[in-house]
Amino acid sequence: MIAAPEIPTDFTLLQEDHTCICSDTDFEDIEGKNQKQGKGKTCKKGKKGPAEKGKSGNGGGKPGGPNRMNGHHQQNGVENMMLFEVVKMGKSAMQSVVDDWIESYKHDRDIALLDLINFFIQCSGCKGVVTAEMFRHMQNSEIIRKMTEEFDEDSGDYPLTMAGPQWKKFKSSFCEFIGVLVRQCQYSIIYDEYMMDTVISLLTGLSDSQVRAFRHTSTLAAMKLMTALVNVALNLSINMDNTQRQYEAERNKIIGKRANDRLELLLQKRKELQENQDEIENMMNAIFKGVFVHRYRDAIAEIRAICIEEIGIWMKMYSDAFLNDSYLKYVGWTMHDKQGEVRLKCLTALQGLYYNKELNSKLELFTSRFKDRIVSMTLDKEYDVAVQAIKLLTLVLQSSEEVLTAEDCENVYHLVYSAHRPVAVAAGEFLYKKLFSRRDAEDDGMLKRRGRQSPNANLVKTLVFFFLESELHEHAAYLVDSMWDCATDLLKDWECMNSLLLEEPLNGEEPLTDRQESALIEIMLCTIRQAAECHPPVGRGTGKRVLTAKEKKTQLDDRTKITELFAVALPQLLAKYSVDAEKVTNLLQLPQYFDLEIYTTGRLEKHLDALLRQIRDIVEKHTDIDVLEACSKTYHALCNEEFTIFNRVDIARSQLIDELADKFNRLLEDFLQEGEEPDEDDAYQVLSTLKRITAFHNAHDLSRWDLFGCNYKLLKTGIENGDMPEQIVIHALQCTHYVILWQLAKVTESSSTKEDLLRLKKQMRVFCQICQHYLTNVNTAVKEQAFTILCDVLMIFSHQIMTGGRDMLEPLVYTPDSSLQSELLSFILDHVFIDQDDDNNSADGQQDDEASKIEALHKRRNLLAAFCKLIVYTVVEMNTAADIFKQYMKYYNDYGDIIKETMSKTRQIDKIQCAKTLILSLQQLFNEMIQENGYNFDRSSPTFSGIKELARRFALTFGLDQLKTREAIAMLHKDGIEFAFKEPNPQGESHPPLNLAFLDILSEFSSKLLRQDKRTVYVYLEKFMTFQMSLRREDVWLPLMSYRNSLLAGGDDDTMSVISGISSRGSTVRNKKTKPATGKRKVPEAEESSSSDSMWLNREQSMHTPVMMQTPQLTSTIMREPKRLRPDENYMGVYPMQPEHHQAPLDYKQQEEAARQQQERAAMNYVKLRTNLQHAIRRGTSLMEDDEEPIVEDVMMSSEGRIEDLNEGMDFDTMDIDLPPSKNRRERTELKPDFFDPASIMDESVLGVSMF
């Protein structure tokens, strides 16, 4: 490393006015007028030895004038400021700042260079300053060591990582300064073998430092310096080629016209350019081998990312020199980096290369070697990386279609269905480029054709084929959204799609199959929906965004185009596919996206009448629920009072409902005749008509047809006879539910009379009783329908109905009685908390496959969620949740999220009642275990261990804030203690209470108690204990002993306080001078315990608990350290008991002493652990380092101890940068075979995360 070049003292130095420094801003210098004079003879001899560095620093009064900044002029109006401050402000023109520094360098280069060195030191966040004395007499390694000692280790921040407005643009200003500095010095100063040698040597040394700030800042500076030098080398190459061309042109002239002096001038210029290029090569080699080779695999991800980003720029900028396998391999290896940020830089660097098709030939070997890795990165766990990987493959595909195999493409194709929209859009673009962007020559003549003969016809067919082959038929909306940005014209060619459906195929053309027609209709519907709504499908966006004016205009134009086309075509399509339920269901959704005004303005009323006739025919033909609901929604969309077509549509709707209602009443009368058994035809007619009425009642108010009476009669007959077909009961329940809801809507919106409220109340109560009766039906589907509707009705007519100022609805409030609550809970226990196999067996011949299992589980989750909603909104008693909570562990995979959310919501409503419910659920499980195994059960049995594990999970749900849950936890312990001692042992007090083992479960909650509450709970526990119990040591008494110990543990501390835990993480091991605290925070015991204990005790008394008598002497004495006790006095003063009890306090003191010793040992072990951890960090060589490690750290690569190179087969440490020859230079030697070896930083764990 070069700090101050050693030159013999008798070396004759040129004076400053004789140095060959000329204009450094003349970039175009083809003729060599501004080239340095006497390269190698004057400039190279301008170096100063250590003895002369200070001679010109202040001599002659030149650099130290009042109008100078660190030895250079103040042209920006900023006085007495250092380079760092100017760059930090970022307000001055960078070229002016650099010109000032160059002027200073011309006057005294030592002073100017010292400014530059201190600039890099300060940009690293170091407060130290390199003095002129240090610069003259110390090597770089010594200077860096001195600066490291003066570094502020208390803070991990430095300018490149600092937040705030003043540091926001620091990095860009810092990089700009380096680039402008090299550009302004490129014609002379960088070749003086002084400035660049010193800077490169300093940056190389800093980049090898263990101080992260030094390493990060110097690596960024070195890489930007290298980039600027690559630009200089590129310009030199261009100048050399131009000079060579001029020379050859002059030499080829005839002798009479040849200018020999010009030939000599060109030869001299070519020689100087060659020397300059050789020197630039040496500089780049020094940076590449001294900085890049070590730092591209640094422990810090940001540093690795900087290296990869810059090498990508070099290869793109100067591909003749850098775009070869010797440099590409670094990018290839780093694609296996563990940090997504670095992998992302690799992909963006490669995108810049593959974008230029002229470079494809140089990327062939790299592509063949690393193609599989790029393909696998499309499934990267970092979505940004996956997106860029797909975009890179798209560029590879455009450069050469033969590179990617069919399997490679298929790995990208399925990503169009990804839930992450950027990934899906990138995959959609890849799909479009691969399958849809090629156009045959014969298509050029079809551009003006429309419909079935348009060039898009084949592309639409291709889209349909792809959709069907992907076998994800319910995800057409996601496929359309993925291709919406890149294939808009294709997806909006609705005329072509319509022609493919309606027109006959041309001669020799294959007609669409029924399956392909269904797929095309679904795709067409999705494109229309996307164009009309202008937002992605569910799961692909964060919500509806605000449309721009241009987007709104496009949306209106598309809706007009859709309406004009399909207002005419839709009746024809419905007529053609009227018997196909799937096609009709999709087609009937189109009017939702129409601009209905066009029916009037475009005089399309006859087409509206045709549409209404087709819908009526479809209602009469179909009984499928989806088709009927689609018809109902279409009527609802067309019945808009804002448009003039409303009357026409309303009349058609009323006529249809009249016919259906009359038919239903007539069929029902015959169906319910006494003494006659209904046949299947009558039942089918009733069911089909009821389905149609129910579907329409969902979206339309049919109150004037008074459907409640006939449905009530039907349901009541079903209860009395018990032989009603299940589908009739299910739809009758649903229809009656709609009747109730429409009546409620009418009562809420208008000024209703008291009679209306009473009638609705009566109907609602009667309906609830009917649903309650059907909960005991033999048919599972009927019971599930009754349960779901009953939960909805109870939720709607709960006390929540009066919110929002609707107090007049108070008569409608309905609270379920205990019997109804019990029946609802029983239904949940019998039909939700069951094994999957049991559910499949109970189904009527249901096929036991994966899809049916998922569907059944989804249905059971909905049932559980409906009941939990009643708990959360306090419609039913909270203690009913105990039967739900106790299933948390057993059914965690199926319902864990629902149960946990219910716990969270109930805790927000009432913490204490929620805690009581949790302990009640544990008590129920304990009682069930007793009933099954008896009182002499094995406490190591799986059943008991499962209850303990459930208690532990419950304890975790209380979180870390003990103050918020203090009262709830205390009440939980109170109920648990009472339960444990509730059943005395019939054999006498010498035997444990029957439920004593429950204390073992209760101890799982002891860690959630505050210190003072542990004391209070301990006192409460002693109220239930006799003196003989405290002396027992048999195994049957172990639960009592373990519970007592859990209350005594941490008596002097809050059991690893949360606050201390956070603070210990916050103060990282960066501060080596700070020793870890071995003791814990002490609180004055007497004051705190007295206040907190009295508060808790007073609260217990206010709750009318029969225990918790105040015994302050016992509390204060028990918890005091044993060394403060005088056994005789304290014993007599605190325990006014019988003489035979005198041994008990000694046992307590022994336990307390043992607990104290154990805490001291734990504290010592903690100190040792922290010390060992610090030592491990000092000498650790971990490759990937966490960002919260200390500033002073070991680096993966250092000059003191280098790890073997990743590529053992290639000696690239000694590789020199060899710029490509110009026409007058030697031919480059042929590249040796390159062997790629993704070694230690490669990690395949970045894969394996599915996108959807």
Side-chain angles (χ1 to χ4, degrees), residues 780-813:
T780 303
V782 172
K783 287 190 287 188
E784 290 175 351
Q785 179 79 335
F787 176 84
T788 304
I789 292 177
L790 194 53
C791 288
D792 288 345
V793 171
L794 291 176
M795 187 69 222
I796 293 169
F797 289 92
S798 67
H799 56 86
Q800 307 281 341
I801 198 174
M802 296 188 298
T803 57
R806 293 178 295 187
D807 296 334
M808 70 284 189
L809 301 179
E810 184 178 0
L812 298 178
V813 175

Side-chain angles (χ1 to χ4, degrees), residues 636-731:
H636 184 267
L638 295 174
C639 284
N640 193 329
E641 297 182 3
E642 297 178 2
F643 301 102
T644 55
I645 65 172
F646 169 73
N647 291 330
R648 189 186 298 259
V649 180
D650 185 44
I651 292 172
R653 178 185 61 177
S654 299
Q655 289 175 351
L656 178 61
I657 301 299
D658 278 337
E659 292 181 8
L660 290 175
D662 292 341
K663 183 179 179 181
F664 181 61
N665 288 325
R666 186 176 65 254
L667 290 171
L668 190 61
E669 190 173 328
D670 297 336
F671 185 70
L672 299 180
Q673 282 183 356
E674 296 182 6
E676 293 186 12
E677 190 166 321
D679 57 12
E680 293 183 2
D681 291 339
D682 293 340
Y684 176 78
Q685 290 294 330
V686 171
L687 176 60
S688 59
T689 309
L690 183 57
K691 278 185 176 181
R692 296 182 179 102
I693 292 176
T694 303
F696 274 86
H697 211 347
N698 187 7
H700 305 270
D701 184 7
L702 308 184
S703 301
R704 59 192 173 114
W705 281 275
D706 191 18
L707 296 171
F708 182 84
C710 53
N711 279 290
Y712 172 71
K713 190 186 303 182
L714 184 63
L715 292 170
K716 186 177 180 183
T717 304
I719 294 174
E720 294 173 351
N721 299 336
D723 58 351
M724 189 69 65
E726 66 169 272
Q727 287 299 315
I728 292 181
V729 174
I730 289 173
H731 286 90

Side-chain angles (χ1 to χ4, degrees), residues 18-33:
H18 290 145
T19 57
C20 54
I21 299 177
C22 47
S23 174
D24 288 294
T25 59
D26 187 7
F27 194 78
E28 296 295 335
D29 194 22
I30 304 301
E31 298 298 327
K33 296 178 181 179

Side-chain angles (χ1 to χ4, degrees), residues 300-320:
I300 307 301
E302 292 94 327
I303 297 177
R304 302 198 300 275
I306 289 170
C307 294
I308 296 302
E309 182 179 15
E310 295 304 315
I311 197 175
I313 295 174
W314 308 338
M315 291 188 288
K316 182 180 178 182
M317 181 188 300
Y318 199 178
S319 58
D320 291 340

Side-chain angles (χ1 to χ4, degrees), residues 1213-1233:
D1213 269 350
T1214 59
M1215 180 187 67
D1216 291 335
I1217 295 177
D1218 186 12
L1219 299 180
S1222 300
K1223 294 180 181 179
N1224 62 323
R1225 295 192 68 185
R1226 65 189 184 278
E1227 291 295 328
R1228 292 187 65 188
T1229 58
E1230 186 178 356
L1231 278 176
K1232 296 179 180 179

Side-chain angles (χ1 to χ4, degrees), residues 1011 1050-1054 1078-1085 1088 1121 1123-1124 1156 1159-1160:
R1011 176 184 58 207
D1052 293 332
D1053 183 68
D1054 279 344
T1078 57
K1080 297 182 175 63
R1081 180 171 55 89
K1082 298 289 184 181
V1083 180
E1085 291 186 1
E1088 182 175 332
E1121 294 185 2
K1123 64 182 180 181
R1124 300 178 187 174
R1156 187 181 62 81
Q1159 287 184 356
E1160 292 176 353

Side-chain angles (χ1 to χ4, degrees), residues 156-164 167 170 212 216 302:
D157 292 331
Y158 48 96
L160 287 181
T161 61
M162 286 183 180
W167 302 106
F170 175 80
R212 178 187 303 191
H216 188 180
E302 292 94 327

Side-chain angles (χ1 to χ4, degrees), residues 923-937:
Q923 292 169 5
Q924 290 179 357
L925 287 174
F926 186 83
N927 287 331
E928 292 173 6
M929 181 189 65
I930 295 297
Q931 292 176 3
E932 183 178 349
N933 301 322
Y935 289 103
N936 297 324
F937 63 90

